[in-house]
Amino acid sequence: MTPILYSFRRCPYAMRARLAIATSGTPVHLREVVLRDKPQAFLKASPTATVPCLVTETGPIDESLDIMKWALAANDPESWLDMPPEGHDWIARADGPFKDALDRTKYATRYPVEDPEAQRIKASAFLQDLDAQLDHWIFDRPTLADYAILPFVRQFAFIDRAWFDAQDWPALRNWLDRFLASPEFESIMTKYPQWQTADAPTSFP
């Protein structure tokens, strides 16, 4: 059985799953989901009804970071998993406090009791620390931490790119811009039509 990846092109969680699958070269059948019109096959497969969801012979993998680790466990040609232990701490900060503040900045109407400017300041504190850590990469070469975090920094940056570019984060901006111009990013951002039950399988990568 070829695993099935339910994905949504612009979702940062789905982006990082696709990045790991692409670099590992592990073939999957990609099904592009429209979040306002989720197909029954996806709802049946995903315990949380969220993308990404990878359906394997042994069951679904419903967390993007777990999908990354699954793909890289099969094949890790660039040694993304070989990173210092601190890499996991950076990912945890990005997935936790930073993502919470990002959502409350970007989707302020969903959180009417929160002050979006205060939330942007919280998110910025993480980005300031990340800028101080970065040289070319978070460590001395690209690892899981870079590609697990970059899609979320991209999402934050495009809330207000002019504001983001005005901040004193030169290393962070360079890191993000290199990612946006990279073949790795281009390879995962192909547009696919909404998956329908009768569609022929779409191979990825």
Side-chain angles (χ1 to χ4, degrees):
M1 169 190 168
T2 299
I4 296 168
L5 178 68
Y6 289 96
S7 184
F8 175 60
R9 180 175 176 269
R10 297 196 306 275
C11 171
Y13 291 107
M15 284 182 194
R16 71 183 186 181
R18 296 195 306 272
L19 281 163
I21 290 170
T23 198
S24 76
T26 304
V28 301
H29 290 159
L30 188 145
R31 295 179 175 179
E32 181 73 5
V33 173
V34 173
L35 299 181
R36 65 178 179 276
D37 184 22
K38 297 175 182 178
Q40 285 301 310
F42 165 65
L43 294 173
K44 185 177 180 180
S46 171
T48 62
T50 58
V51 292
C53 177
L54 183 72
V55 181
T56 72
E57 286 186 333
T58 57
I61 304 175
D62 212 38
E63 296 291 339
S64 60
L65 193 58
D66 291 339
I67 294 173
M68 295 186 82
K69 292 174 181 177
W70 172 89
L72 296 168
N75 187 35
D76 186 12
E78 297 181 15
S79 299
W80 286 9
L81 291 176
D82 182 17
M83 71 177 180
E86 294 81 9
H88 298 288
D89 297 332
W90 283 107
I91 295 171
R93 288 183 65 189
D95 285 5
F98 173 67
K99 185 61 166 65
D100 286 348
L102 187 164
D103 286 346
R104 286 159 177 76
T105 305
K106 181 176 176 63
Y107 306 111
T109 56
R110 300 180 188 175
Y111 304 94
V113 300
E114 303 282 2
D115 176 3
E117 183 56 32
Q119 294 299 319
R120 184 162 74 171
I121 290 170
K122 288 182 182 178
S124 297
F126 169 75
L127 296 178
Q128 184 67 52
D129 290 347
L130 187 56
D131 178 76
Q133 170 70 21
L134 285 162
D135 185 1
H136 206 59
W137 301 99
I138 294 176
F139 303 111
D140 59 355
R141 58 174 183 76
T143 67
L144 177 70
D146 295 278
Y147 289 104
I149 295 172
L150 273 161
F152 298 97
V153 176
R154 171 189 178 274
Q155 187 181 45
F156 181 85
F158 283 99
I159 296 172
D160 185 342
R161 187 63 204 251
W163 178 90
F164 181 89
D165 286 344
Q167 306 310 301
D168 187 21
W169 299 330
L172 185 76
R173 283 198 309 278
N174 289 339
W175 181 66
L176 175 61
D177 287 341
R178 282 189 288 108
F179 172 62
L180 296 178
S182 70
E184 290 83 1
F185 180 68
E186 182 181 5
S187 73
I188 66 155
M189 294 305 287
T190 300
K191 290 184 178 181
Y192 297 98
Q194 178 183 6
W195 176 75
Q196 304 290 342
T197 304
D199 290 347
T202 298
S203 296
F204 179 88

